[in-house]
């Protein structure tokens, strides 16, 4: 079974994680631009970060047989530093048009301040202008109101809910998001967001239409195999296979495929892995390590549902 | 056993790695400033990088009971850009006195070019002026022998630098004897697939003795293994070396070298 | 070499490492065979890296002691002058200058 992890901060993960993801059936990941655990003090850091997610990280993933896409945006936490935010907003349009960028995101609210609101709206306008999908980060505190408000603002700016993924949902927010026609993302992240047993219950109760499962894995305690493990648990507990496929693969492809930057052929007809390839003259093979060449990743068919 | 990894780039590793390290006995690590995999466009990015190394990463490590130290400097790969180098060297003084900073590192040579030498020379002078410890990166592959010799000559031209306060890292069979003869510490790096196997590192212990040697993983964003020093310790045991000798190489030695900086206390 | 360092004897070392190193020789032999099997083998065999590889095989067999060091030195750049610029340069694992 093939999976997409549509929310994974791979720059904070290891090559071991890429290998494990590929082995579990993950064929593509989407890396949303976000906060780094510390506030950036200047736009120069932002520029290098955006360059790394559209370039070096994409290259690093390809060396393990995984297609890497990203979203570009100013996150809500750093929107509160106005000088930084202004400078970053200058950078965003040119990065948003690069190859492999599938949405504007993750944008939205953190503490629901006036500055967060300002830059959220500016970026929604940009998404509309560039005709790109949007990935919304919903706040951890006051989640229910923050989620409703995020959708209100999208509607106010005339965005099509079918092009907006509202992420980090839980039992409290799922109904409204689905009822209003948005895509509903769920981050299976230990301790703080959602466990996968709860996720399976949501699938049972609401079905998988417009539901998207992701890991949101990053530099914190998180699980790169969250999508594959959720799929397996769902299958084991009797969720129909077509529903699992929607939530763990197809819906992400439908939602972000609207960018025109993400197609199934990208991984169905992959190039063989060639670690001799270089990125701007630089290899991932530090210190003369041996390249792995020509080992086409093992794509598991639908007949082999159990991930071991 | 307890062990110290004196060279590992933890910002590129996961919390799973921290957990595996801490339950395996690695309770102290040191992270040299290095190249990110791509050339950074501005010195401002280094400001945020140095903040991460001195504030954020030690806090992340502390959640797992691991003490995190770091080394600051401009790596040799980005030293080819002299404008960037000027700007990065100018911001180092703002960070160098932070509580987990051990000294200048990893600084050194990559392709043995004139610009790399110029930037290394300036950083050696900065370290000498402050009496800081130095962690030196040596070039890879065919450039290593020449580069290691050039670096040692440069350090000898800076009489304020005491070789016993300098560790020359990524040493291999053809460079160890010269490094040791000149009174420096030397580092050996363990990579999973190619050079620097546990077997060869322990061969070096047997041939050259364990004095002034630190073994490290250099784990980073490429294929690497944060437990490699423990696998190497096991190779030493497998050949019949006693526990005290193993402890000397993997715990006492890095403690002695880094302990020359008064900020360093091993867990 | 320092004094004997462990309870093992040379025959124990042979016993401990023989199988894995036997396998490494197979890897090397099949690597050379693979080059022969593929289109353009002559071009590959003229490459400075291939020539260096044959040379270090000889060194490994013919050097009476310190073989690893001799192999390292044979692959190293023996010059002493700094490069004018490192822009666009990379390391190959064998010294290109040796082929000239």
């Amino acid at each position: 079974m093939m999976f997409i992890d549509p929310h994974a901060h791979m720059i904070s993960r290891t090559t071991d994680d890429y290998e494990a993801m590929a082995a579990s059936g993950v064929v593509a990941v989407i890396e949303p631009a976000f906060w780094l655990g510390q506030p950036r003090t200047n736009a120069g850091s932002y520029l290098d970060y955006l360059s790394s997610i559209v370039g070096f990280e994409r290259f690093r993933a390809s060396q393990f047989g995984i297609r890497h896409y990203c979203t570009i945006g100013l996150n809500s936490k750093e929107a509160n530093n106005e000088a930084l935010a202004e400078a970053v907003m200058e950078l965003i349009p040119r990065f948003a048009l690069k190859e492999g960028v599938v949405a504007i995101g993750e944008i939205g609210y953190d503490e629901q301040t006036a500055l967060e609101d300002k830059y959220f709206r500016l970026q929604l306008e940009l998404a509309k202008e560039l005709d790109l999908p949007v990935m919304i980060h919903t706040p951890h505190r006051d989640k229910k109101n923050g989620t409703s408000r995020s959708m209100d603002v999208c509607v106010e700016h005339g965005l099509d809910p079918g092009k907006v993924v509202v992420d980090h949902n839980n039992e409290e927010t799922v109904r409204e998001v689905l009822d209003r026609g948005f895509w509903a993302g769920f981050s299976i992240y230990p301790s703080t967001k959602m466990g996968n047993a709860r996720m399976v219950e949501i699938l049972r109760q609401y079905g998988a239409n417009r539901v998207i499962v992701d890991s949101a894995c990053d530099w914190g305690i998180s699980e790169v195999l969250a999508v594959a493990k959720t799929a397996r648990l769902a299958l084991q507990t009797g969720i129909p296979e077509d529903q699992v496929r929607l939530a763990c693969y197809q819906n992400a492809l439908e939602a972000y495929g609207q960018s025109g930057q993400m197609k199934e052929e990208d991984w169905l007809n992959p190039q063989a892995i060639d670690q001799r390839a270089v990125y701007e003259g630089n290899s991932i093979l530090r210190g003369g390590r041996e390249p792995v060449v020509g080992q086409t990743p093992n794509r598991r068919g639908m007949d082999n549902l159990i991930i071991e | 056993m307890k062990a110290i990894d004196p060279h590992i780039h933890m910002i590129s590793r996961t919390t799973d790695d921290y957990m595996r390290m801490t339950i395996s006995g690695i309770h102290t690590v040191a992270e040299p400033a290095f190249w990110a995999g791509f050339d950074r466009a501005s010195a401002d990015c280094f400001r945020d990088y140095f903040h991460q190394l001195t504030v954020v990463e030690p806090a992340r490590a502390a959640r797992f009971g691991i003490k995190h130290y770091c080394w600051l400097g401009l790596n040799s790969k980005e030293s080819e850009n002299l404008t960037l180098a000027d700007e990065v060297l100018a911001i180092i003084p703002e960070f160098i006195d932070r509580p987990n900073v051990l000294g200048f590192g990893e600084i050194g040579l990559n392709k043995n070019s004139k610009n790399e030498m110029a930037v290394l020379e300036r950083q050696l002078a900065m370290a000498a002026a402050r009496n800081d410890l130095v962690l030196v990166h040596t070039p890879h592959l065919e450039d290593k022998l020449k580069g290691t010799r050039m670096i040692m000559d440069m350090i000898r031209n800076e009489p304020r630098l005491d070789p016993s306060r300098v560790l020359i890292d990524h040493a291999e069979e053809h460079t160890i004897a010269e490094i040791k003869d000149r009174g420096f510490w030397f580092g050996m790096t363990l990579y999973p697939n190619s050079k620097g196997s546990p077997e060869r590192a322990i061969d070096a212990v047997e041939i050259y003795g364990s004095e002034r040697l630190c073994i490290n993983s250099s784990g980073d964003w490429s294929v690497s293994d944060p437990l490699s020093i423990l696998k190497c310790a096991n190779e030493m045991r497998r050949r019949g070396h006693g526990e005290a000798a193993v402890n000397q190489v993997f715990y006492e030695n890095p403690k002695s070298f880094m302990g020359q900086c008064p900020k360093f206390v091993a867990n | 070499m320092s004094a004997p360092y462990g309870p093992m004897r040379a025959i124990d070392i042979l016993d401990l490492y023989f199988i894995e190193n036997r396998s490494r020789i197979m890897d090397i032999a099949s690597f050379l065979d693979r080059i022969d099997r593929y289109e353009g083998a002559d071009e590959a065999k003229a490459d400075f890296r291939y020539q260096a590889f044959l040379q270090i095989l000889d060194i490994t067999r013919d050097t009476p002691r310190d073989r690893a060091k001799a192999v390292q030195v044979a692959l190293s750049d023996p010059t002493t002058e700094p490069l004018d610029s490192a822009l666009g340069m990379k390391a190959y694992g064998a010294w290109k200058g040796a082929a000239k």
Side-chain angles (χ1 to χ4, degrees):
Chain A
M1 197 166 190
M2 294 189 295
F3 302 116
I4 294 171
D5 189 343
H7 191 142
H9 301 288
M10 297 309 296
I11 70 157
S12 300
R13 309 297 309 188
T14 61
T15 58
D16 298 337
D17 289 335
Y18 272 126
E19 276 187 17
M21 290 171 100
S24 77
V26 172
V27 292
V29 296
I30 299 174
E31 174 141 14
F34 90 137
W35 185 62
L36 287 181
Q38 70 181 38
R40 296 173 184 90
T41 60
N42 62 82
S45 289
Y46 231 105
L47 182 130
D48 282 345
Y49 171 69
L50 296 178
S51 300
S52 74
I53 65 173
V54 298
F56 181 64
E57 199 55 41
R58 179 179 163 91
F59 168 71
R60 203 167 73 110
S62 74
Q63 300 308 290
F64 298 89
I66 290 181
R67 290 292 302 205
H68 181 280
Y69 306 89
C70 69
T71 76
I72 294 292
L74 170 69
N75 64 81
S76 51
K77 265 185 195 290
E78 285 168 320
N80 289 302
N81 175 346
E82 195 167 11
L84 175 78
E86 283 299 321
V88 172
M89 288 301 293
E90 297 284 311
L91 299 174
I92 287 185
R94 69 171 144 122
F95 277 98
L97 292 170
K98 287 189 188 282
E99 195 182 325
V101 176
V102 297
I104 296 294
E106 48 182 311
I107 58 173
Y109 295 112
D110 181 41
E111 296 291 342
Q112 305 189 46
T113 64
L115 282 172
E116 290 171 17
D117 189 61
K118 172 183 170 188
Y119 292 107
F120 180 35
R121 290 170 184 271
L122 282 172
Q123 292 183 91
L124 290 177
E125 284 299 320
L126 179 69
K128 219 166 55 170
E129 187 186 323
L130 302 178
D131 197 23
L132 277 173
V134 173
M135 181 194 286
I136 292 184
H137 164 92
T138 53
H140 301 291
R141 266 183 289 187
D142 196 15
K143 180 173 280 292
K144 193 164 183 355
N145 289 328
T147 304
S148 301
R149 182 175 171 194
S150 302
M151 291 186 288
D152 293 344
V153 172
C154 286
V155 171
E156 190 188 321
H157 283 264
L159 273 96
D160 171 6
K163 294 192 81 165
V164 179
V165 179
V166 179
D167 210 349
H168 313 321
N169 280 285
N170 59 25
E171 293 85 347
E172 200 183 16
T173 57
V174 53
R175 176 170 300 282
E176 186 190 343
V177 172
L178 291 175
D179 284 352
R180 295 177 72 169
F182 290 82
W183 299 90
F186 291 85
S187 300
I188 310 304
Y189 194 102
S191 310
T192 58
K193 296 189 177 91
M194 283 281 288
N196 62 353
R198 283 164 60 199
M199 187 66 229
V200 171
E201 282 315 304
I202 286 175
L203 286 172
R204 195 183 313 286
Q205 199 177 337
Y206 296 92
N209 282 340
R210 281 183 284 112
V211 167
I212 295 176
V213 173
D214 61 66
S215 74
C217 61
D218 59 8
W219 37 261
I221 299 172
S222 43
E223 174 59 86
V224 285
L225 300 184
V227 177
K229 286 186 175 179
T230 303
R232 180 169 168 178
L233 189 69
L235 291 168
Q236 277 180 356
T237 51
I239 304 288
E241 185 187 313
D242 61 328
Q243 298 286 296
V244 175
R245 182 180 151 81
L246 281 177
C248 298
Y249 178 78
Q250 194 66 40
N251 287 345
L253 177 59
E254 298 287 332
Y256 295 106
Q258 296 178 87
S259 63
Q261 291 291 322
M262 184 178 183
K263 301 178 194 69
E264 208 169 27
E265 299 87 76
D266 293 348
W267 51 87
L268 290 182
N269 299 304
Q271 293 187 318
I273 298 171
D274 186 351
Q275 292 191 346
R276 293 169 303 183
V278 291
Y279 173 66
E280 291 179 353
N282 295 316
S283 162
I284 61 155
L285 304 165
R286 302 188 68 241
R289 291 177 179 124
E290 291 167 1
V292 174
V293 182
Q295 184 189 334
T296 303
N298 174 26
R299 299 281 177 241
R300 297 175 181 190
M302 289 297 287
D303 51 351
N304 185 4
L305 290 177
I306 301 304
I307 302 146
E308 287 169 332
Chain B
M1 79 175 286
K2 282 212 293 188
I4 297 171
D5 194 335
H7 185 147
I8 182 162
H9 301 285
M10 291 309 299
I11 68 159
S12 300
R13 308 299 309 184
T14 61
T15 55
D16 297 339
D17 288 336
Y18 269 126
M19 181 57 89
R20 288 194 294 145
M21 290 168 81
T22 195
I23 63 179
S24 308
I26 301 173
H27 299 157
T28 308
V29 297
E31 171 154 8
F34 87 140
W35 182 63
F38 62 98
D39 292 340
R40 285 165 270 214
S42 71
D44 283 341
C45 192
F46 279 86
R47 192 182 293 280
D48 285 351
Y49 177 48
F50 293 156
H51 180 79
Q52 188 174 12
L53 290 178
T54 54
V55 175
V56 177
E57 203 55 38
R60 202 166 75 110
R63 292 176 66 192
F64 298 88
I66 292 180
K67 274 201 155 164
H68 179 279
Y69 292 92
C70 73
W71 301 81
L72 299 183
L74 179 64
N75 64 83
S76 52
K77 228 169 149 60
E78 284 165 309
S79 294
E80 192 61 29
N81 179 343
L82 291 179
T83 315
L84 179 81
D86 279 342
E87 292 168 10
V88 174
L89 266 50
I91 64 174
I92 289 175
E94 295 171 36
F95 295 89
I96 197 81
D97 287 316
R98 291 196 172 175
N100 75 327
V101 182
L102 298 174
F104 281 77
E106 50 185 309
I107 57 175
L109 298 178
N110 175 52
K111 281 302 296 181
N112 308 325
S113 75
K114 289 176 177 168
N115 286 2
E116 290 167 15
M117 287 178 75
V119 175
L120 173 58
E121 200 162 28
R122 288 174 57 194
Q123 295 190 87
L124 290 173
M126 287 167 82
R130 296 174 41 90
N131 195 30
D132 275 339
L133 298 177
V134 175
L135 174 64
V136 173
H137 166 92
T138 56
H140 298 297
L141 303 171
E142 71 267 26
D143 302 315
K144 183 179 296 295
L145 181 61
K146 173 178 172 178
T148 303
R149 287 173 174 165
M150 286 166 61
I151 291 165
M152 291 193 295
D153 287 344
M154 288 170 70
I155 295 174
R156 273 193 301 188
N157 287 335
E158 178 52 83
R160 294 172 295 174
L161 283 175
D162 175 355
S164 71
R165 295 173 58 82
V166 177
L167 186 143
I168 299 194
D169 214 340
H170 314 317
E172 292 185 30
E173 288 86 352
H174 52 324
T175 57
I176 293 169
E178 292 181 33
I179 297 171
K180 229 186 152 177
D181 287 350
R182 284 165 178 73
F184 296 101
W185 284 76
F186 69 106
M188 295 196 76
T189 297
L190 304 162
Y191 294 126
N193 296 326
S194 54
K195 62 179 208 171
S197 65
E199 290 86 346
R200 285 168 55 206
I202 301 308
D203 288 341
V205 171
E206 293 173 348
I207 295 167
Y208 300 99
S210 60
E211 195 195 348
R212 281 184 278 125
L213 162 65
C214 289
I215 295 177
N216 64 76
S217 72
S218 290
D220 58 16
W221 39 257
S222 188
V223 182
S224 42
D225 178 1
L227 298 185
S228 62
I229 59 169
L230 298 174
K231 293 172 186 170
C232 190
N234 205 49
E235 172 66 18
M236 196 167 166
R237 265 185 220 109
R238 180 162 90 130
R239 294 195 200 170
H241 296 269
E243 211 51 42
V246 176
N247 186 58
Q248 182 68 42
V249 172
F250 293 94
Y251 185 76
E252 294 298 336
N253 277 4
K255 187 175 155 192
S256 298
F257 174 66
M258 294 190 284
Q260 296 180 85
C261 171
K263 297 178 202 168
F264 181 86
V265 180
N267 251 7
Chain C
M1 194 179 276
S2 53
Y5 22 71
M8 293 178 109
R9 304 185 65 252
I11 193 72
D12 300 322
I13 293 294
L14 180 70
D15 187 44
L16 192 57
Y17 297 101
F18 178 75
I19 293 292
E20 66 190 58
N21 285 291
R22 173 185 180 279
S23 155
R24 287 182 179 127
I25 294 280
M26 304 300 170
D27 284 344
I28 290 168
S30 61
F31 161 59
L32 298 177
D33 287 346
R34 205 171 305 131
I35 288 171
D36 287 338
R37 266 201 337 272
Y38 276 66
E39 183 81 25
D42 289 344
E43 183 197 347
K45 289 161 93 163
D47 188 280
F48 72 100
R49 290 168 298 178
Y50 189 91
Q51 295 301 317
F53 199 87
L54 294 184
Q55 190 200 350
I56 60 177
L57 288 179
D58 286 343
I59 289 172
T60 303
R61 189 191 52 208
D62 298 336
T63 309
R65 65 183 65 81
D66 294 340
R67 297 168 188 83
K69 180 176 178 180
V71 166
Q72 293 272 26
V73 170
L75 294 171
S76 295
D77 174 358
T79 65
T80 54
E81 288 305 307
L83 286 187
D84 285 333
S85 166
L87 272 184
M89 305 287 283
K90 65 170 199 155
Y92 295 91
W95 184 52
K96 208 170 186 173
K100 284 170 193 159

